């Protein structure tokens, strides 16, 4: 590719345009490169195990990713892999990939994901690693699931890390009239969800665009301005593919998000139930690290921070970092984790 | 070199302007969509579509009974049964692990008990040997005193 690029005049608009087109339409590079093996499967979900070359900590990390995107963003390439950075630091990593739900999974609610997938996955991980305790790392909606699980966990959760995690739905960003209409019952999509069972990936994509950026083209201009940098182009292609590659959402999950989170804000009120068990955030006693992003238009700080006052954890840290919603999937072990996690992960001497 | 810098500046400026315009356009679109008319229309459309979809699905179910072909619901039911099966296997595995742990614990206790018994036996054994030693010693002493008197 680099050889071909030499024939193009990078300073001309045509030259840049040709390179940008190549980047947009060329075959995708390989993603998900860190060595792993499946240790448990259920329905479409897979629990992946990423072994470190040298295990330096006794407490493994269990990653719960969002339900609406593929977790491949955590392992884009050898240079841009959050999972790789954990493994290189000597942590055992488990990733619960929920997979792509189909029509038959339409009845799986958020609570079902917590009790039937996360809780069981954590048990498997603890047994597989022979660890006595575990660290939960939840990003975006995966963080909400992680917090809900931590509130009912019988398993020994030592640390809970929540990155850009929505907890307080009292004032979601933008579209205040829509939120009000949902709360007043003027908009009710339950019947539609019952008929369809799942919302296909492309509709999830459009829905998120609708809430955040109804039209977006600036990333193409950024590609044009930096098209001569092969490292940037490589990363751009991977992230561009990931942002468009949403997975279907089950009808029951959307119903629970709308009714329990948006309408009644049950997480904050402590009235959410998982298999008839109250999942009050007060039950959380694990060491807590909460991360929010300054320029996050999807999950702003006001949706993230309230958890700090809702848990019973004595050891709790809140960090507001520069960046947007997906800024925290770096290739190197980020300083906010390097300062916090190792000393709480029972290092092996 | 200068040509390259000019070109870089041009595309950088284009990017900056693009981000600004994009922000403005999105604000306009969001404000336009955030109104009662759109909300009512969306609600109406979703209800109408839901009814149509349900009617169509029921019609397909009726047709499948006549034509003897499976529908998506049939496939979904089989998939759900498979998940149930997986759950049963998981449940069995959990039970096996519990039994294994209990067996291990019982074995540990048994070997501890055996060790303690062994210790007890060895203690009893040492008492016996002490009394034998005592007897032998006193016999030797008695013999030596008899020999001494004879001399």
């Amino acid at each position: 590719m680099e050889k071909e690029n030499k024939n193009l005049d990078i300073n001309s608009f045509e030259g840049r345009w040709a390179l940008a087109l190549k980047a947009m339409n060329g075959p995708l590079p390989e993603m998900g490169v860190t060595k792993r093996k499946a240790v448990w499967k259920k329905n479409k979900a897979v629990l992946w195990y990423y072994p470190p070359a040298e295990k330096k900590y006794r407490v493994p990390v269990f990653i719960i990713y969002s339900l609406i995107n593929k977790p491949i963003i955590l392992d884009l390439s050898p240079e841009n892999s959050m999972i790789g950075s954990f493994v290189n630091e000597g942590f055992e990593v488990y990733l619960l990939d929920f997979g792509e739900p189909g029509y038959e999974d339409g009845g799986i609610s958020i609570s079902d994901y917590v009790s039937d997938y996360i809780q069981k996955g954590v048990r498997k991980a603890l047994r597989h690693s022979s660890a006595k305790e575990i660290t939960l790392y939840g990003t975006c909606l995966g963080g909400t699931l992680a917090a809900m699980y931590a509130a009912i966990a019988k398993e020994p959760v030592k640390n809970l890390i929540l990155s850009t995690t929505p907890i307080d739905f009292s004032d979601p960003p933008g579209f205040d009239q829509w939120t009000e209409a949902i709360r007043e019952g003027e908009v009710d999509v339950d019947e539609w969800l019952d008929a369809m069972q799942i919302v296909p990936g492309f509709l999830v994509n459009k829905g998120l665009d609708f809430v955040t950026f109804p039209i977006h083209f600036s990333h193409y201009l950024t590609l044009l301005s930096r098209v001569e940098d092969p490292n940037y182009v490589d990363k751009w292609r991977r992230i561009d593919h990931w942002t468009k590659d949403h997975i279907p959402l089950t009808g029951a999950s959307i119903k629970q998000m709308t009714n329990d989170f948006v309408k009644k804000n049950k997480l904050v009120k402590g009235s959410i139930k998982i298999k008839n068990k109250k999942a009050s955030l007060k039950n959380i006693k694990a060491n807590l690290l909460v991360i929010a992003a300054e320029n996050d238009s999807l999950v702003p700080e006001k949706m993230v921070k309230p958890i700090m006052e809702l848990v019973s954890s004595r050891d709790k840290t809140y960090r507001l970092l520069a960046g947007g919603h997906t800024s925290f999937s770096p290739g190197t072990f980020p300083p906010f984790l390097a300062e916090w996690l190792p000393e709480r992960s029972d290092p092996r001497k | 070199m200068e040509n390259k810098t000019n070109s870089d500046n041009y595309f950088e400026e284009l990017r900056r302007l693009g981000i600004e315009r994009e922000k403005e356009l999105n604000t306009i679109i969001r404000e336009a969509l955030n109104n009662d008319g759109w909300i009512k229309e969306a609600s109406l459309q979703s209800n109408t579509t839901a009814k149509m979809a349900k009617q169509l699905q029921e019609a397909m179910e009726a047709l499948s009974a006549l034509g003897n072909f499976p529908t998506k619901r049939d496939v979904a039911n089989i998939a759900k049964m498979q998940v149930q099966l997986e759950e049963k296997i998981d449940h069995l595995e959990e039970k096996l692990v519990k039994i294994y742990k209990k067996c291990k614990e019982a074995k540990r206790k048994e070997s501890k008990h055996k060790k303690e018994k062994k210790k007890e036996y060895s203690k009893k054994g040492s008492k016996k040997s002490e009394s034998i030693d005592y007897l032998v010693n006193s016999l030797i002493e008695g013999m030596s005193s008899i020999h001494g008197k004879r001399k």
Side-chain angles (χ1 to χ4, degrees), chain A residues 167-317:
Chain A
I167 295 290
D168 187 353
F169 289 80
S170 60
D171 185 20
F175 297 100
D176 53 325
Q177 290 203 37
W178 281 84
T179 312
E180 206 48 46
I182 289 170
R183 285 186 184 140
E184 296 294 324
E186 287 168 26
V187 177
D188 191 352
V189 289
D190 285 8
E191 207 180 333
W192 187 83
L193 291 169
D194 286 339
M196 304 305 290
Q197 289 296 307
I198 57 158
V199 175
F202 76 93
L203 274 183
V204 174
N205 193 5
K206 294 292 164 211
L208 277 178
D209 284 352
F210 176 74
V211 177
T212 51
F213 301 102
I215 53 164
H216 46 105
F217 52 81
S218 59
H219 60 299
Y220 293 117
L221 298 177
T222 311
L223 175 69
L224 263 179
S225 72
R226 295 184 62 181
V227 79
E228 77 282 4
D229 177 356
N231 292 333
Y232 178 80
V233 171
D234 183 68
K235 192 178 173 185
W236 185 94
R237 293 174 70 196
R238 291 168 197 263
I239 291 180
D240 183 59
H241 174 75
W242 170 78
T243 49
K244 290 170 185 162
D245 196 19
H246 286 87
I247 51 178
L249 252 179
T250 66
S253 292
I254 301 176
K255 273 202 240 174
Q256 194 176 2
M257 278 192 263
T258 318
N259 297 322
D260 287 359
F261 296 167
V262 180
K263 270 191 190 173
K264 295 174 185 159
N265 205 13
K266 281 187 175 178
L267 264 177
V268 169
K269 289 178 182 161
S271 54
I272 206 153
K273 278 186 175 176
I274 298 167
K275 300 256 153 128
N276 292 325
K277 208 176 167 189
K278 232 181 183 183
S280 169
L281 297 177
K282 261 186 199 165
N283 299 340
I284 297 176
K285 291 183 179 109
N287 305 324
L288 179 70
L289 172 65
V290 176
I291 301 142
E294 273 177 356
N295 303 315
D296 192 339
S297 52
L298 190 63
V299 186
E301 192 187 8
K302 62 183 176 184
M303 293 182 83
V304 182
K305 204 176 178 182
I307 195 172
M308 299 305 289
E309 304 304 319
L310 298 169
V311 294
S312 304
S313 313
R314 283 186 187 168
D315 176 354
K316 46 186 179 181
T317 310

Side-chain angles (χ1 to χ4, degrees), chain A residues 9-13 16 40-44 103-105 107 116-117 120 123-124 127 174-178 181 186-189 191-197 210-219 221-226 228, chain B residues 3-5 7-8 10-12 14-15 17-19 21-23 25-26 29-31 33-36 38-40 42-43 45-47 49-51 53-54 57 72-73 75-77 79-80 82-83 86-87 90 93-94 97 101:
Chain A
D9 179 12
I10 202 79
N11 300 319
S12 70
F13 187 82
R16 278 185 184 255
W40 178 61
K41 284 182 185 179
K42 182 183 175 181
N43 199 2
K44 281 100 185 169
Y103 178 84
E104 62 279 10
D105 304 311
D116 298 346
Y117 291 83
K120 287 185 178 162
R123 280 182 199 161
K124 297 276 171 190
R127 198 178 307 141
F175 297 100
D176 53 325
Q177 290 203 37
W178 281 84
E186 287 168 26
V187 177
D188 191 352
V189 289
E191 207 180 333
W192 187 83
L193 291 169
D194 286 339
M196 304 305 290
Q197 289 296 307
F210 176 74
V211 177
T212 51
F213 301 102
I215 53 164
H216 46 105
F217 52 81
S218 59
H219 60 299
L221 298 177
T222 311
L223 175 69
L224 263 179
S225 72
R226 295 184 62 181
E228 77 282 4
Chain B
N3 193 14
K4 189 177 185 320
T5 316
S7 148
D8 282 350
Y10 168 74
F11 285 105
E12 187 51 38
L14 188 68
R15 187 184 77 89
L17 282 172
I19 290 172
R21 291 293 97 79
E22 186 187 79
K23 226 177 180 176
L25 279 170
N26 280 326
I29 293 169
R30 265 195 237 116
E31 280 169 5
L33 290 174
N34 191 25
N35 73 50
D36 208 38
W38 279 104
I39 295 167
K40 279 181 182 154
S43 184
Q45 288 298 331
S46 83
N47 287 338
T49 323
K51 273 178 194 133
K54 271 186 182 169
Q57 284 168 4
K72 211 167 183 178
R73 277 187 202 164
V75 179
N77 286 337
K80 279 176 193 166
Q82 189 217 320
V83 176
E86 280 178 332
E87 276 173 356
D90 271 347
E93 199 189 314
E94 295 271 332
V97 169
K101 274 184 184 170

Side-chain angles (χ1 to χ4, degrees), chain A residues 62 64 96 98 113-114 116-122 145-146 149:
Chain A
F62 189 95
I64 303 164
L96 184 58
F98 294 108
Y113 274 118
V114 172
D116 298 346
Y117 291 83
I118 296 175
Q119 188 162 37
K120 287 185 178 162
V122 168
L145 297 175
Y149 162 63

Side-chain angles (χ1 to χ4, degrees), chain A residues 148-178:
Chain A
M148 285 168 74
Y149 162 63
I152 57 148
K154 288 178 190 161
E155 297 71 30
V157 178
K158 183 167 188 182
N159 307 307
L160 176 62
I161 304 168
L162 305 176
S163 176
T164 57
T165 291
I167 295 290
D168 187 353
F169 289 80
S170 60
D171 185 20
F175 297 100
D176 53 325
Q177 290 203 37
W178 281 84

